[in-house]
Amino acid sequence: MAWGGQPRPLLALWLLAALARSGSGEAGDGGWRRAGPGAAAVEEERCTVERRADLTYAEFMQHYAFLRPVILQGLTNNSRFRALCSRERLLASFGDNVIRLSTANTYSYQKVDLPFQEYVERLLHPQNPTSLGNDTLYFFGDNNFTEWASLFRHYSPPPFRLLGTTPAYSFGIAGAGSGVPFHWHGPGFSEVIYGRKRWFLYPPEKTPEFHPNKTTLAWLQDTYPALAPSARPLECTIRAGEVLYFPDRWWHATLNLDTSVFISTFLG
């Protein structure tokens, strides 16, 4: 007999079932696989991007819109959208949809089309640190908005806009350790739905040292440790429910610390 008077085989089965329930995490991680122990990608020692709750539009325009990144908290409630983005629900709704994958390098040389279910079940795995960017495929940005409209209509984007811009969504799911190396484009917001996403940001006038075909994980392991404190980027880990705003032409690289579901609102 074992603890509580249960036979050992029954206790073992109960423990396995409990672990399976907590691991599936439908209420916590949405059933998406998280990074395991010993993962190479970790959070930064200290977040150097300001977090703001209840930020007003006037404050956003005065202090951040054209000057520096900021992490926004509590501006929208996307609990409904989050529930629809669980692994089970996305596969049920969109598993047969053909999606377009990009390579994880600065220029995204290659595009590959395949069913969403195949991507989730076969390709959505932790990043190999030795892989090159053009050997790593991930789902982000190339969304068919007609086919995915039933999902996107439930998303509430941040309420801030810049004069003369039109918002455009890019939805993505990526494995732990994956991420796009440094690049820049127009301003935008990026919200994490599940998982954690670490960001590295430089202002437009400060071009980072990086190889366009090496992954962010390789850059973090090989280049980042040798950077002088003055040469290090702004950085922070964005968690579920948080939104990062980045201004126009800011260099940024991303690194998913877990299997992550995220959506960006680009202001073009």
Side-chain angles (χ1 to χ4, degrees), residues 62-210:
Q62 181 178 357
H63 299 293
Y64 305 103
F66 305 104
L67 298 176
R68 63 185 188 271
V70 62
I71 299 167
L72 308 174
Q73 298 175 314
L75 286 180
T76 56
N77 180 359
N78 275 305
S79 56
R80 172 61 176 162
F81 181 77
R82 188 170 192 265
L84 293 173
C85 288
S86 72
R87 187 179 192 275
E88 180 181 356
R89 292 197 183 189
L90 282 183
L91 286 176
S93 300
F94 305 103
D96 294 333
N97 285 28
V98 174
I99 61 171
R100 175 156 291 181
L101 307 180
S102 302
T103 51
N105 52 33
T106 296
Y107 303 112
S108 293
Y109 302 105
Q110 183 184 7
K111 303 286 185 178
V112 174
D113 294 341
L114 81 173
F116 177 64
Q117 183 163 349
E118 183 178 348
Y119 170 67
V120 170
E121 295 181 348
R122 186 170 66 85
L123 297 179
L124 196 60
H125 51 68
Q127 172 75 48
N128 183 336
T130 64
S131 296
L132 293 176
N134 59 9
D135 295 326
T136 305
L137 295 170
Y138 75 109
F139 174 45
F140 177 63
D142 290 296
N143 308 120
N144 184 316
F145 287 92
T146 300
E147 292 183 355
W148 291 75
S150 61
L151 175 66
F152 294 146
R153 66 186 176 87
H154 293 284
Y155 179 65
S156 297
F160 301 150
R161 294 289 180 271
L162 301 180
L163 185 65
T165 65
T166 301
Y169 297 150
S170 288
F171 180 67
I173 303 173
S178 65
V180 181
F182 284 102
H183 61 289
W184 60 264
H185 44 64
F189 302 90
S190 182
E191 178 168 355
V192 171
I193 308 302
Y194 288 109
R196 296 169 298 158
K197 182 182 285 287
R198 185 172 172 180
W199 284 74
F200 307 89
L201 304 112
Y202 285 100
E205 67 276 8
K206 196 171 184 178
T207 303
E209 177 187 346
F210 72 101

